PDB file of all heavy atoms in Angstrom:
ATOM      1  N   PHE A  12       1.515  -7.371  -3.019  1.00 98.00           N
ATOM      2  CA  PHE A  12       0.859  -8.169  -1.957  1.00 98.00           C
ATOM      3  C   PHE A  12       0.610  -7.190  -0.790  1.00 98.00           C
ATOM      4  O   PHE A  12       1.159  -6.231  -0.575  1.00 98.00           O
ATOM      5  CB  PHE A  12       1.612  -9.340  -1.550  1.00 98.00           C
ATOM      6  CG  PHE A  12       3.031  -9.099  -0.964  1.00 98.00           C
ATOM      7  CD1 PHE A  12       3.312  -9.117   0.370  1.00 98.00           C
ATOM      8  CD2 PHE A  12       4.023  -8.751  -1.853  1.00 98.00           C
ATOM      9  CE1 PHE A  12       4.610  -8.925   0.866  1.00 98.00           C
ATOM     10  CE2 PHE A  12       5.329  -8.456  -1.391  1.00 98.00           C
ATOM     11  CZ  PHE A  12       5.558  -8.542   0.003  1.00 98.00           C
ATOM     12  N   ASP A  13      -0.499  -7.759  -0.135  1.00 96.00           N
ATOM     13  CA  ASP A  13      -1.045  -6.888   0.967  1.00 96.00           C
ATOM     14  C   ASP A  13      -1.734  -7.822   1.967  1.00 96.00           C
ATOM     15  O   ASP A  13      -1.921  -9.007   1.755  1.00 96.00           O
ATOM     16  CB  ASP A  13      -2.143  -5.965   0.506  1.00 96.00           C
ATOM     17  CG  ASP A  13      -2.789  -5.136   1.631  1.00 96.00           C
ATOM     18  OD1 ASP A  13      -2.068  -4.566   2.443  1.00 96.00           O
ATOM     19  OD2 ASP A  13      -4.007  -5.054   1.490  1.00 96.00           O
ATOM     20  N   SER A  14      -1.947  -7.320   3.128  1.00 95.00           N
ATOM     21  CA  SER A  14      -2.718  -8.038   4.134  1.00 95.00           C
ATOM     22  C   SER A  14      -4.198  -8.430   3.834  1.00 95.00           C
ATOM     23  O   SER A  14      -4.825  -9.318   4.423  1.00 95.00           O
ATOM     24  CB  SER A  14      -2.812  -7.327   5.504  1.00 95.00           C
ATOM     25  OG  SER A  14      -3.426  -6.021   5.263  1.00 95.00           O
ATOM     26  N   GLY A  15      -4.695  -7.667   2.760  1.00 93.00           N
ATOM     27  CA  GLY A  15      -6.054  -8.033   2.392  1.00 93.00           C
ATOM     28  C   GLY A  15      -6.392  -7.334   1.013  1.00 93.00           C
ATOM     29  O   GLY A  15      -5.722  -7.476   0.086  1.00 93.00           O
ATOM     30  N   VAL A  16      -7.523  -6.556   1.103  1.00 92.00           N
ATOM     31  CA  VAL A  16      -8.028  -6.056  -0.082  1.00 92.00           C
ATOM     32  C   VAL A  16      -7.423  -4.625  -0.385  1.00 92.00           C
ATOM     33  O   VAL A  16      -7.438  -4.238  -1.530  1.00 92.00           O
ATOM     34  CB  VAL A  16      -9.548  -5.955   0.025  1.00 92.00           C
ATOM     35  CG1 VAL A  16      -9.996  -4.926   1.005  1.00 92.00           C
ATOM     36  CG2 VAL A  16     -10.188  -5.756  -1.292  1.00 92.00           C
ATOM     37  N   GLY A  17      -6.954  -3.962   0.584  1.00 93.00           N
ATOM     38  CA  GLY A  17      -6.469  -2.622   0.424  1.00 93.00           C
ATOM     39  C   GLY A  17      -5.312  -2.372  -0.575  1.00 93.00           C
ATOM     40  O   GLY A  17      -5.347  -1.314  -1.227  1.00 93.00           O
ATOM     41  N   GLY A  18      -4.448  -3.372  -0.703  1.00 95.00           N
ATOM     42  CA  GLY A  18      -3.433  -3.208  -1.648  1.00 95.00           C
ATOM     43  C   GLY A  18      -3.806  -3.076  -3.154  1.00 95.00           C
ATOM     44  O   GLY A  18      -3.117  -2.672  -3.978  1.00 95.00           O
ATOM     45  N   ASN A  21      -2.832   0.042  -4.753  1.00 96.00           N
ATOM     46  CA  ASN A  21      -1.521  -0.002  -5.500  1.00 96.00           C
ATOM     47  C   ASN A  21      -1.665  -0.666  -6.847  1.00 96.00           C
ATOM     48  O   ASN A  21      -0.978  -0.158  -7.744  1.00 96.00           O
ATOM     49  CB  ASN A  21      -0.542  -0.729  -4.633  1.00 96.00           C
ATOM     50  CG  ASN A  21      -0.022   0.039  -3.532  1.00 96.00           C
ATOM     51  OD1 ASN A  21       1.135   0.614  -3.609  1.00 96.00           O
ATOM     52  ND2 ASN A  21      -0.704   0.111  -2.471  1.00 96.00           N
ATOM     53  N   TYR A  36      -1.659 -10.449  -7.841  1.00 97.00           N
ATOM     54  CA  TYR A  36      -1.859  -9.794  -6.557  1.00 97.00           C
ATOM     55  C   TYR A  36      -2.247 -10.962  -5.626  1.00 97.00           C
ATOM     56  O   TYR A  36      -2.864 -11.867  -5.799  1.00 97.00           O
ATOM     57  CB  TYR A  36      -3.011  -8.867  -6.669  1.00 97.00           C
ATOM     58  CG  TYR A  36      -3.427  -8.287  -5.454  1.00 97.00           C
ATOM     59  CD1 TYR A  36      -2.714  -7.134  -4.978  1.00 97.00           C
ATOM     60  CD2 TYR A  36      -4.584  -8.707  -4.552  1.00 97.00           C
ATOM     61  CE1 TYR A  36      -3.076  -6.547  -3.784  1.00 97.00           C
ATOM     62  CE2 TYR A  36      -4.802  -8.143  -3.431  1.00 97.00           C
ATOM     63  CZ  TYR A  36      -4.063  -6.930  -2.947  1.00 97.00           C
ATOM     64  OH  TYR A  36      -4.419  -6.394  -1.716  1.00 97.00           O
ATOM     65  N   ASP A  39      -3.990 -11.282   1.762  1.00 96.00           N
ATOM     66  CA  ASP A  39      -4.163 -12.325   2.924  1.00 96.00           C
ATOM     67  C   ASP A  39      -5.570 -12.102   3.587  1.00 96.00           C
ATOM     68  O   ASP A  39      -5.490 -11.873   4.713  1.00 96.00           O
ATOM     69  CB  ASP A  39      -3.020 -12.296   3.724  1.00 96.00           C
ATOM     70  CG  ASP A  39      -2.757 -13.625   4.547  1.00 96.00           C
ATOM     71  OD1 ASP A  39      -3.728 -14.438   4.399  1.00 96.00           O
ATOM     72  OD2 ASP A  39      -1.844 -13.629   5.406  1.00 96.00           O
ATOM     73  N   ARG A  42      -6.411 -13.538   7.047  1.00 95.00           N
ATOM     74  CA  ARG A  42      -5.695 -13.195   8.246  1.00 95.00           C
ATOM     75  C   ARG A  42      -5.619 -11.774   8.554  1.00 95.00           C
ATOM     76  O   ARG A  42      -4.970 -11.294   9.418  1.00 95.00           O
ATOM     77  CB  ARG A  42      -4.295 -13.858   8.231  1.00 95.00           C
ATOM     78  CG  ARG A  42      -4.362 -15.440   8.062  1.00 95.00           C
ATOM     79  CD  ARG A  42      -3.035 -16.053   8.137  1.00 95.00           C
ATOM     80  NE  ARG A  42      -2.089 -15.845   7.060  1.00 95.00           N
ATOM     81  CZ  ARG A  42      -1.030 -16.541   6.712  1.00 95.00           C
ATOM     82  NH1 ARG A  42      -0.848 -17.595   7.588  1.00 95.00           N
ATOM     83  NH2 ARG A  42      -0.239 -16.337   5.725  1.00 95.00           N
ATOM     84  N   VAL A  43      -6.318 -10.892   7.655  1.00 93.00           N
ATOM     85  CA  VAL A  43      -6.394  -9.599   7.847  1.00 93.00           C
ATOM     86  C   VAL A  43      -7.094  -9.234   9.057  1.00 93.00           C
ATOM     87  O   VAL A  43      -7.966 -10.019   9.492  1.00 93.00           O
ATOM     88  CB  VAL A  43      -6.933  -8.898   6.597  1.00 93.00           C
ATOM     89  CG1 VAL A  43      -8.468  -9.103   6.531  1.00 93.00           C
ATOM     90  CG2 VAL A  43      -6.759  -7.348   6.545  1.00 93.00           C
ATOM     91  N   PRO A  44      -6.779  -8.225   9.915  1.00 94.00           N
ATOM     92  CA  PRO A  44      -5.813  -7.107   9.741  1.00 94.00           C
ATOM     93  C   PRO A  44      -4.530  -7.503  10.223  1.00 94.00           C
ATOM     94  O   PRO A  44      -4.448  -8.289  11.146  1.00 94.00           O
ATOM     95  CB  PRO A  44      -6.492  -5.926  10.442  1.00 94.00           C
ATOM     96  CG  PRO A  44      -7.229  -6.549  11.658  1.00 94.00           C
ATOM     97  CD  PRO A  44      -7.684  -7.960  11.055  1.00 94.00           C
ATOM     98  N   TYR A  45      -3.430  -6.984   9.608  1.00 95.00           N
ATOM     99  CA  TYR A  45      -2.130  -7.089  10.109  1.00 95.00           C
ATOM    100  C   TYR A  45      -1.786  -6.022  10.996  1.00 95.00           C
ATOM    101  O   TYR A  45      -0.840  -6.067  11.899  1.00 95.00           O
ATOM    102  CB  TYR A  45      -1.152  -7.075   8.999  1.00 95.00           C
ATOM    103  CG  TYR A  45      -0.880  -8.347   8.154  1.00 95.00           C
ATOM    104  CD1 TYR A  45      -1.846  -9.335   8.127  1.00 95.00           C
ATOM    105  CD2 TYR A  45       0.188  -8.419   7.368  1.00 95.00           C
ATOM    106  CE1 TYR A  45      -1.697 -10.504   7.361  1.00 95.00           C
ATOM    107  CE2 TYR A  45       0.351  -9.620   6.550  1.00 95.00           C
ATOM    108  CZ  TYR A  45      -0.551 -10.586   6.651  1.00 95.00           C
ATOM    109  OH  TYR A  45      -0.383 -11.726   5.907  1.00 95.00           O
ATOM    110  N   GLY A  46      -2.467  -4.947  10.939  1.00 92.00           N
ATOM    111  CA  GLY A  46      -2.131  -3.578  11.671  1.00 92.00           C
ATOM    112  C   GLY A  46      -2.264  -3.667  13.158  1.00 92.00           C
ATOM    113  O   GLY A  46      -1.624  -2.675  13.848  1.00 92.00           O
ATOM    114  N   THR A  47      -2.774  -4.763  13.644  1.00 89.00           N
ATOM    115  CA  THR A  47      -2.944  -4.923  15.109  1.00 89.00           C
ATOM    116  C   THR A  47      -2.015  -6.090  15.666  1.00 89.00           C
ATOM    117  O   THR A  47      -2.110  -6.456  16.767  1.00 89.00           O
ATOM    118  CB  THR A  47      -4.323  -5.091  15.458  1.00 89.00           C
ATOM    119  OG1 THR A  47      -4.897  -6.153  14.639  1.00 89.00           O
ATOM    120  CG2 THR A  47      -5.244  -3.926  15.344  1.00 89.00           C
ATOM    121  N   LYS A  48      -1.303  -6.748  14.615  1.00 94.00           N
ATOM    122  CA  LYS A  48      -0.566  -7.950  15.025  1.00 94.00           C
ATOM    123  C   LYS A  48       0.906  -7.621  15.329  1.00 94.00           C
ATOM    124  O   LYS A  48       1.366  -6.563  15.104  1.00 94.00           O
ATOM    125  CB  LYS A  48      -0.737  -8.929  13.893  1.00 94.00           C
ATOM    126  CG  LYS A  48      -2.169  -9.519  13.693  1.00 94.00           C
ATOM    127  CD  LYS A  48      -2.153 -10.679  12.698  1.00 94.00           C
ATOM    128  CE  LYS A  48      -3.558 -11.328  12.787  1.00 94.00           C
ATOM    129  NZ  LYS A  48      -4.672 -10.505  12.146  1.00 94.00           N
ATOM    130  N   ALA A  75       2.674  -3.615  -0.940  1.00 97.00           N
ATOM    131  CA  ALA A  75       1.704  -2.691  -0.973  1.00 97.00           C
ATOM    132  C   ALA A  75       1.090  -2.357   0.404  1.00 97.00           C
ATOM    133  O   ALA A  75       0.520  -1.287   0.695  1.00 97.00           O
ATOM    134  CB  ALA A  75       0.452  -3.123  -1.888  1.00 97.00           C
ATOM    135  N   CYS A  76       1.398  -3.203   1.346  1.00 97.00           N
ATOM    136  CA  CYS A  76       0.954  -3.030   2.734  1.00 97.00           C
ATOM    137  C   CYS A  76       1.998  -2.239   3.573  1.00 97.00           C
ATOM    138  O   CYS A  76       3.095  -2.620   3.745  1.00 97.00           O
ATOM    139  CB  CYS A  76       0.690  -4.365   3.385  1.00 97.00           C
ATOM    140  SG  CYS A  76       0.127  -4.344   5.036  1.00 97.00           S
ATOM    141  N   ASN A  77       1.556  -1.149   4.143  1.00 95.00           N
ATOM    142  CA  ASN A  77       2.428  -0.296   5.012  1.00 95.00           C
ATOM    143  C   ASN A  77       2.956  -1.068   6.180  1.00 95.00           C
ATOM    144  O   ASN A  77       4.041  -1.004   6.569  1.00 95.00           O
ATOM    145  CB  ASN A  77       1.658   0.941   5.418  1.00 95.00           C
ATOM    146  CG  ASN A  77       1.503   1.992   4.371  1.00 95.00           C
ATOM    147  OD1 ASN A  77       2.179   2.949   4.213  1.00 95.00           O
ATOM    148  ND2 ASN A  77       0.534   1.658   3.469  1.00 95.00           N
ATOM    149  N   THR A  78       2.024  -1.836   6.739  1.00 95.00           N
ATOM    150  CA  THR A  78       2.385  -2.687   7.861  1.00 95.00           C
ATOM    151  C   THR A  78       3.461  -3.714   7.636  1.00 95.00           C
ATOM    152  O   THR A  78       4.400  -3.869   8.387  1.00 95.00           O
ATOM    153  CB  THR A  78       1.083  -3.235   8.570  1.00 95.00           C
ATOM    154  OG1 THR A  78       0.084  -2.339   8.678  1.00 95.00           O
ATOM    155  CG2 THR A  78       1.378  -3.843   9.834  1.00 95.00           C
ATOM    156  N   ILE A  79       3.271  -4.348   6.587  1.00 97.00           N
ATOM    157  CA  ILE A  79       4.301  -5.389   6.122  1.00 97.00           C
ATOM    158  C   ILE A  79       5.654  -4.633   5.892  1.00 97.00           C
ATOM    159  O   ILE A  79       6.624  -5.017   6.260  1.00 97.00           O
ATOM    160  CB  ILE A  79       3.914  -6.322   4.970  1.00 97.00           C
ATOM    161  CG1 ILE A  79       2.655  -6.951   5.195  1.00 97.00           C
ATOM    162  CG2 ILE A  79       5.072  -7.145   4.444  1.00 97.00           C
ATOM    163  CD1 ILE A  79       2.075  -7.893   4.040  1.00 97.00           C
ATOM    164  N   ALA A  80       5.560  -3.586   5.146  1.00 97.00           N
ATOM    165  CA  ALA A  80       6.816  -2.859   4.775  1.00 97.00           C
ATOM    166  C   ALA A  80       7.458  -2.384   6.029  1.00 97.00           C
ATOM    167  O   ALA A  80       8.666  -2.353   6.046  1.00 97.00           O
ATOM    168  CB  ALA A  80       6.444  -1.653   3.895  1.00 97.00           C
ATOM    169  N   ALA A  81       6.703  -1.910   6.974  1.00 94.00           N
ATOM    170  CA  ALA A  81       7.240  -1.477   8.245  1.00 94.00           C
ATOM    171  C   ALA A  81       8.037  -2.450   9.095  1.00 94.00           C
ATOM    172  O   ALA A  81       9.074  -2.093   9.602  1.00 94.00           O
ATOM    173  CB  ALA A  81       6.154  -0.736   9.102  1.00 94.00           C
ATOM    174  N   VAL A  99       5.794   0.717  -0.173  1.00 96.00           N
ATOM    175  CA  VAL A  99       5.083   1.998   0.013  1.00 96.00           C
ATOM    176  C   VAL A  99       5.687   2.977   1.018  1.00 96.00           C
ATOM    177  O   VAL A  99       5.674   4.182   0.853  1.00 96.00           O
ATOM    178  CB  VAL A  99       3.536   1.669   0.598  1.00 96.00           C
ATOM    179  CG1 VAL A  99       2.710   1.273  -0.608  1.00 96.00           C
ATOM    180  CG2 VAL A  99       3.489   0.686   1.685  1.00 96.00           C
ATOM    181  N   ALA A 120      -1.419   6.116   9.928  1.00 97.00           N
ATOM    182  CA  ALA A 120      -1.186   4.746   9.547  1.00 97.00           C
ATOM    183  C   ALA A 120      -1.821   3.889  10.730  1.00 97.00           C
ATOM    184  O   ALA A 120      -2.344   4.367  11.582  1.00 97.00           O
ATOM    185  CB  ALA A 120       0.266   4.476   9.537  1.00 97.00           C
ATOM    186  N   THR A 121      -1.638   2.555  10.464  1.00 94.00           N
ATOM    187  CA  THR A 121      -2.096   1.587  11.574  1.00 94.00           C
ATOM    188  C   THR A 121      -1.251   1.555  12.788  1.00 94.00           C
ATOM    189  O   THR A 121      -0.130   2.185  12.751  1.00 94.00           O
ATOM    190  CB  THR A 121      -2.055   0.090  10.987  1.00 94.00           C
ATOM    191  OG1 THR A 121      -0.717  -0.238  10.834  1.00 94.00           O
ATOM    192  CG2 THR A 121      -2.881  -0.059   9.767  1.00 94.00           C
ATOM    193  N   ASN A 122      -1.726   0.955  13.837  1.00 94.00           N
ATOM    194  CA  ASN A 122      -0.897   1.005  15.103  1.00 94.00           C
ATOM    195  C   ASN A 122       0.447   0.391  14.897  1.00 94.00           C
ATOM    196  O   ASN A 122       1.535   0.928  15.397  1.00 94.00           O
ATOM    197  CB  ASN A 122      -1.587   0.133  16.197  1.00 94.00           C
ATOM    198  CG  ASN A 122      -2.862   0.887  16.697  1.00 94.00           C
ATOM    199  OD1 ASN A 122      -2.890   2.060  17.042  1.00 94.00           O
ATOM    200  ND2 ASN A 122      -3.988   0.190  16.740  1.00 94.00           N
ATOM    201  N   THR A 123       0.560  -0.772  14.214  1.00 93.00           N
ATOM    202  CA  THR A 123       1.844  -1.429  14.066  1.00 93.00           C
ATOM    203  C   THR A 123       2.893  -0.621  13.273  1.00 93.00           C
ATOM    204  O   THR A 123       3.946  -0.471  13.552  1.00 93.00           O
ATOM    205  CB  THR A 123       1.587  -2.902  13.404  1.00 93.00           C
ATOM    206  OG1 THR A 123       0.736  -3.573  14.255  1.00 93.00           O
ATOM    207  CG2 THR A 123       2.923  -3.607  13.431  1.00 93.00           C
ATOM    208  N   THR A 124       2.282   0.071  12.226  1.00 95.00           N
ATOM    209  CA  THR A 124       3.194   0.868  11.416  1.00 95.00           C
ATOM    210  C   THR A 124       3.670   2.089  12.279  1.00 95.00           C
ATOM    211  O   THR A 124       4.825   2.344  12.235  1.00 95.00           O
ATOM    212  CB  THR A 124       2.449   1.482  10.160  1.00 95.00           C
ATOM    213  OG1 THR A 124       1.945   0.373   9.403  1.00 95.00           O
ATOM    214  CG2 THR A 124       3.282   2.307   9.396  1.00 95.00           C
ATOM    215  N   TYR A 130       8.402   5.047   9.206  1.00 97.00           N
ATOM    216  CA  TYR A 130       8.337   6.277   8.412  1.00 97.00           C
ATOM    217  C   TYR A 130       9.387   7.261   8.810  1.00 97.00           C
ATOM    218  O   TYR A 130      10.078   7.875   8.098  1.00 97.00           O
ATOM    219  CB  TYR A 130       6.946   6.851   8.312  1.00 97.00           C
ATOM    220  CG  TYR A 130       6.103   6.375   7.222  1.00 97.00           C
ATOM    221  CD1 TYR A 130       5.109   5.421   7.518  1.00 97.00           C
ATOM    222  CD2 TYR A 130       6.311   6.834   5.851  1.00 97.00           C
ATOM    223  CE1 TYR A 130       4.276   5.000   6.406  1.00 97.00           C
ATOM    224  CE2 TYR A 130       5.497   6.308   4.896  1.00 97.00           C
ATOM    225  CZ  TYR A 130       4.394   5.378   5.160  1.00 97.00           C
ATOM    226  OH  TYR A 130       3.704   4.999   4.132  1.00 97.00           O
ATOM    227  N   PRO A 149      -6.520   3.754  13.475  1.00 95.00           N
ATOM    228  CA  PRO A 149      -7.017   2.410  13.187  1.00 95.00           C
ATOM    229  C   PRO A 149      -8.539   2.357  12.836  1.00 95.00           C
ATOM    230  O   PRO A 149      -8.928   1.565  12.050  1.00 95.00           O
ATOM    231  CB  PRO A 149      -6.796   1.598  14.496  1.00 95.00           C
ATOM    232  CG  PRO A 149      -6.498   2.695  15.591  1.00 95.00           C
ATOM    233  CD  PRO A 149      -5.973   3.887  14.892  1.00 95.00           C
ATOM    234  N   VAL A 152      -9.635   2.253   8.972  1.00 94.00           N
ATOM    235  CA  VAL A 152      -9.632   0.963   8.070  1.00 94.00           C
ATOM    236  C   VAL A 152     -11.002   0.434   7.917  1.00 94.00           C
ATOM    237  O   VAL A 152     -11.599   0.342   6.799  1.00 94.00           O
ATOM    238  CB  VAL A 152      -8.604  -0.009   8.591  1.00 94.00           C
ATOM    239  CG1 VAL A 152      -8.708  -1.258   7.847  1.00 94.00           C
ATOM    240  CG2 VAL A 152      -7.146   0.555   8.481  1.00 94.00           C
ATOM    241  N   GLU A 156     -13.604   0.169   4.580  1.00 88.00           N
ATOM    242  CA  GLU A 156     -14.189  -1.052   4.052  1.00 88.00           C
ATOM    243  C   GLU A 156     -15.685  -1.021   4.067  1.00 88.00           C
ATOM    244  O   GLU A 156     -16.324  -1.680   3.290  1.00 88.00           O
ATOM    245  CB  GLU A 156     -13.617  -2.123   4.917  1.00 88.00           C
ATOM    246  CG  GLU A 156     -12.136  -2.285   4.739  1.00 88.00           C
ATOM    247  CD  GLU A 156     -11.602  -3.732   5.084  1.00 88.00           C
ATOM    248  OE1 GLU A 156     -12.294  -4.458   5.437  1.00 88.00           O
ATOM    249  OE2 GLU A 156     -10.351  -3.848   4.767  1.00 88.00           O
ATOM    250  N   LEU A 186      -0.434   9.488   3.508  1.00 97.00           N
ATOM    251  CA  LEU A 186      -1.507   8.518   3.686  1.00 97.00           C
ATOM    252  C   LEU A 186      -0.923   7.151   3.800  1.00 97.00           C
ATOM    253  O   LEU A 186      -0.816   6.397   2.892  1.00 97.00           O
ATOM    254  CB  LEU A 186      -2.471   8.583   2.536  1.00 97.00           C
ATOM    255  CG  LEU A 186      -2.985   9.942   2.239  1.00 97.00           C
ATOM    256  CD1 LEU A 186      -3.985   9.929   1.011  1.00 97.00           C
ATOM    257  CD2 LEU A 186      -3.666  10.592   3.486  1.00 97.00           C
ATOM    258  N   GLY A 187      -0.463   6.821   5.095  1.00 96.00           N
ATOM    259  CA  GLY A 187       0.410   5.648   5.280  1.00 96.00           C
ATOM    260  C   GLY A 187      -0.325   4.343   5.533  1.00 96.00           C
ATOM    261  O   GLY A 187       0.088   3.527   6.426  1.00 96.00           O
ATOM    262  N   CYS A 188      -1.343   4.177   4.808  1.00 96.00           N
ATOM    263  CA  CYS A 188      -2.170   2.898   4.879  1.00 96.00           C
ATOM    264  C   CYS A 188      -2.805   2.653   3.542  1.00 96.00           C
ATOM    265  O   CYS A 188      -3.316   3.570   2.927  1.00 96.00           O
ATOM    266  CB  CYS A 188      -3.125   2.954   5.973  1.00 96.00           C
ATOM    267  SG  CYS A 188      -4.266   1.510   6.097  1.00 96.00           S
ATOM    268  N   THR A 189      -2.839   1.385   3.145  1.00 94.00           N
ATOM    269  CA  THR A 189      -3.479   1.038   1.889  1.00 94.00           C
ATOM    270  C   THR A 189      -4.790   1.629   1.563  1.00 94.00           C
ATOM    271  O   THR A 189      -5.180   1.949   0.518  1.00 94.00           O
ATOM    272  CB  THR A 189      -3.650  -0.373   1.713  1.00 94.00           C
ATOM    273  OG1 THR A 189      -4.134  -0.970   2.916  1.00 94.00           O
ATOM    274  CG2 THR A 189      -2.311  -1.051   1.336  1.00 94.00           C
ATOM    275  N   HIS A 190      -5.591   1.704   2.685  1.00 95.00           N
ATOM    276  CA  HIS A 190      -6.947   2.165   2.618  1.00 95.00           C
ATOM    277  C   HIS A 190      -7.221   3.690   2.336  1.00 95.00           C
ATOM    278  O   HIS A 190      -8.207   4.121   1.951  1.00 95.00           O
ATOM    279  CB  HIS A 190      -7.813   1.754   3.841  1.00 95.00           C
ATOM    280  CG  HIS A 190      -7.954   0.329   3.912  1.00 95.00           C
ATOM    281  ND1 HIS A 190      -6.845  -0.595   3.886  1.00 95.00           N
ATOM    282  CD2 HIS A 190      -9.034  -0.470   4.139  1.00 95.00           C
ATOM    283  CE1 HIS A 190      -7.403  -1.830   4.078  1.00 95.00           C
ATOM    284  NE2 HIS A 190      -8.731  -1.800   4.199  1.00 95.00           N
ATOM    285  N   PHE A 191      -6.320   4.473   2.720  1.00 96.00           N
ATOM    286  CA  PHE A 191      -6.479   5.862   2.858  1.00 96.00           C
ATOM    287  C   PHE A 191      -6.532   6.733   1.602  1.00 96.00           C
ATOM    288  O   PHE A 191      -7.210   7.750   1.613  1.00 96.00           O
ATOM    289  CB  PHE A 191      -5.484   6.486   3.874  1.00 96.00           C
ATOM    290  CG  PHE A 191      -5.459   5.877   5.249  1.00 96.00           C
ATOM    291  CD1 PHE A 191      -4.452   6.134   6.180  1.00 96.00           C
ATOM    292  CD2 PHE A 191      -6.516   5.101   5.695  1.00 96.00           C
ATOM    293  CE1 PHE A 191      -4.421   5.667   7.494  1.00 96.00           C
ATOM    294  CE2 PHE A 191      -6.544   4.553   7.017  1.00 96.00           C
ATOM    295  CZ  PHE A 191      -5.479   4.958   7.836  1.00 96.00           C
ATOM    296  N   SER A 210       0.692   7.026  -1.221  1.00 89.00           N
ATOM    297  CA  SER A 210       1.857   6.179  -1.503  1.00 89.00           C
ATOM    298  C   SER A 210       1.654   5.138  -2.620  1.00 89.00           C
ATOM    299  O   SER A 210       2.510   4.626  -3.129  1.00 89.00           O
ATOM    300  CB  SER A 210       2.339   5.409  -0.231  1.00 89.00           C
ATOM    301  OG  SER A 210       1.194   5.057   0.593  1.00 89.00           O
TER     302      SER A 210
HETATM  303  N1  DGL B 301      -2.810  -3.093   4.667  1.00 72.29           N
HETATM  304  C1  DGL B 301      -2.642  -2.538   5.941  1.00 72.29           C
HETATM  305  C2  DGL B 301      -1.705  -1.318   5.866  1.00 72.29           C
HETATM  306  O1  DGL B 301      -1.447  -0.639   4.822  1.00 72.29           O
HETATM  307  C3  DGL B 301      -4.051  -2.023   6.455  1.00 72.29           C
HETATM  308  C4  DGL B 301      -4.947  -3.166   6.862  1.00 72.29           C
HETATM  309  C5  DGL B 301      -4.385  -4.107   7.961  1.00 72.29           C
HETATM  310  O2  DGL B 301      -4.414  -3.591   9.174  1.00 72.29           O
HETATM  311  O3  DGL B 301      -4.022  -5.213   7.635  1.00 72.29           O
HETATM  312  O4  DGL B 301      -1.104  -0.907   6.880  1.00 72.29           O
END
Side-chain angles (χ1 to χ4, degrees):
F12 60 107
D13 178 46
S14 56
V16 72
N21 278 262
Y36 179 79
D39 199 359
R42 303 188 289 198
V43 71
Y45 280 17
T47 48
K48 291 189 172 67
C76 178
N77 288 258
T78 308
I79 297 178
V99 279
T121 64
N122 288 313
T123 304
T124 301
Y130 269 106
V152 173
E156 295 203 354
L186 307 177
C188 173
T189 44
H190 291 52
F191 300 168
S210 36

